[in-house]
Amino acid sequence: MPERDLLMIPGPVMCHPAVLRALSRPVMGHVTPEFINIFGETLERLQEVLKGEKSQAVVVAGSGTLAMDMTAASLLEPGDKVVVLNTGVFGDRFAAICERYGAEITTLQAELGDVVPSEEMEKALQQGKYKLLTVTHVDTSTGVIMDIEAVARLAAKHGVLSVVDGICAAAGAEVRFDEWGIDVYVTASQKALGVPPGLAILMVGSRALTAYEARRTPVTNYFADLGNWLPIMRAYQGRERAYFATPAVNLICALHVSLELILAEGLENCYRRHELFSQAFKAGMTALDLQLVPVNLQVAAPTLTAIYYPDGVDADLLTKIRERGVTVTGGIHPQIRDRYFRVGHMGAITANDLLATIGAIEGALHASYYEFDLGAGLAAAQERLAGA
Ligand code: PMP
């Protein structure tokens, strides 16, 4: 793949050159004063980005699924009741993980491309004695975003722990961890946080810590036991030496840089940029008469777009887009897997990257004999970017 090609999938994403340079630094010892300071600052920057200043950030080598696994392993015991708000494939995944630790799952299933209605959540929480609720902030299989502030507040009202899968959202969609009363927010390095894959990230609030301490049985997974990691994270933040399992030193250096760039841009600006790019991209697709998977723009995520292929076009389109120097990806939702494709537009991308992607999609559609006004998608996106 030529080095100037664009990677526009919903994670992993292209990274800022400064982030990549951090990866190629000489490897530091994980308990050297220099690295202790970098890791400590990284945890503090995560608190700033996720607005969890009163809570504990945890960073562990692994992918996002490990962060989900750590949450379930550490908070659940056999027989605990969990309600899963399911907006796609990653709701299924959280249910499967919780089930593995012996939880009884109730799933509130959203219609394809839509969110779970709030009345349904309210009803379920009134009826059941749930310990924990999971919700996917942005489901990467459908491109749907949930209002996690409302969900977290509702869960807190009913004394249920709220666990948010923010893997495809953090740094691309707003989160105010402490203020909204979220109990655990899990994410990963390779999406809007703009770092290569390899870090599982959690923000853990005080109610979750209390629930962990109140366990009756030991955690049945050694690596995923939050109790092994919390003292290590606290030590790094206190600029002290500590060791449980070797941290991914260079990836943490890269995250340190990426968080600095995000904070330098300003969180509000960063969210606004994601929203603007998302609106411009969606306007471009709509102008080509393509249909989006989310049922309306209110529930459509700012970090990616899921688009149905038009009649007569199939996954061969992805190859044609790739030939034009842009990588996008196919569908993963079992109900519509072969009928749609997905484009990520998060992290350190520019408006030019977005326009180049739309240009490549138009070129590929044209080469697939789909009839449309060449340039219509680009014009609509340009207009939106220009604030028209
Ligand atoms: N949840 C969501 C919303 C995701 O987008 C992903 C990754 N596509 C995961 C969970 C799983 O994360 P990972 O692949 O990093 O394990």
Side-chain angles (χ1 to χ4, degrees), residues 53-77:
E53 272 93 352
K54 296 186 195 136
S55 303
Q56 183 61 55
V58 177
V59 178
V60 174
S63 78
T65 305
L66 178 66
M68 300 163 84
D69 200 24
M70 288 173 76
T71 308
S74 301
L75 296 184
L76 294 175
E77 293 180 78

Side-chain angles (χ1 to χ4, degrees), residues 63-65 68 90 93 136 138 140 165 167-168 190-191:
S63 78
T65 305
M68 300 163 84
F90 295 101
R93 177 166 302 192
T136 316
V138 168
T140 322
D165 168 358
I167 291 168
C168 197
Q190 78 273 20
K191 308 233 182 191

